[in-house]
Amino acid sequence: MAFFPSVSLPVEELIQIFGNPDEVWLTSERSMDTSLTRLVLHWNSIGMFAQLPAIAGHTYLIEKTTQVKMIIFPYEEPVVAFDGKPLGEKSTSWTGYGNYQP
């Protein structure tokens, strides 16, 4: 089950409700003139993923006000991709708001 929030949903609200995510998955795409970074948060205890908007650049700054693009609760299937893009090249533990790099 997945949904796109129809109202503004900042990361801070998810954390207030569900606690801190366990993992941060990062994917970086590079072309000749652009670098695009995608980030997905994962809560192991409830199996929830939150995809944040892709950004230009290599470093992803997560702030309390960073908007959630999509939320997914997988149904007995492993999540390997969002929007046809792989889940991530690298996962790291959540260390709080701030910069994350693939």
Side-chain angles (χ1 to χ4, degrees):
M1 177 173 68
F3 69 92
F4 296 90
S6 59
V7 296
S8 174
L9 179 59
V11 170
E12 179 181 38
E13 284 188 36
L14 283 183
I15 289 175
Q16 287 174 349
I17 295 168
F18 300 108
N20 289 326
D22 299 296
E23 299 172 301
V24 177
W25 287 87
L26 293 135
T27 302
S28 184
E29 301 171 16
R30 290 183 179 86
S31 66
M32 293 287 226
D33 56 343
T34 323
S35 178
L36 191 66
T37 301
R38 298 178 188 279
L39 189 139
V40 175
L41 302 174
H42 181 227
W43 285 258
N44 289 324
S45 60
I46 56 174
M48 182 176 80
F49 291 86
Q51 181 184 24
L52 306 185
I55 62 158
H58 187 67
T59 300
Y60 202 111
L61 174 61
I62 302 175
E63 299 177 290
K64 291 179 178 184
T65 57
T66 302
Q67 296 298 304
V68 174
K69 179 180 174 187
M70 180 172 61
I71 294 177
I72 185 169
F73 290 95
Y75 180 74
E76 297 180 16
E77 296 281 330
V79 173
V80 295
F82 278 86
D83 295 337
K85 303 290 183 185
L87 176 60
E89 299 163 352
K90 175 186 173 188
S91 85
T92 187
S93 296
W94 170 259
T95 58
Y97 299 104
N99 290 314
Y100 289 85
Q101 292 182 329

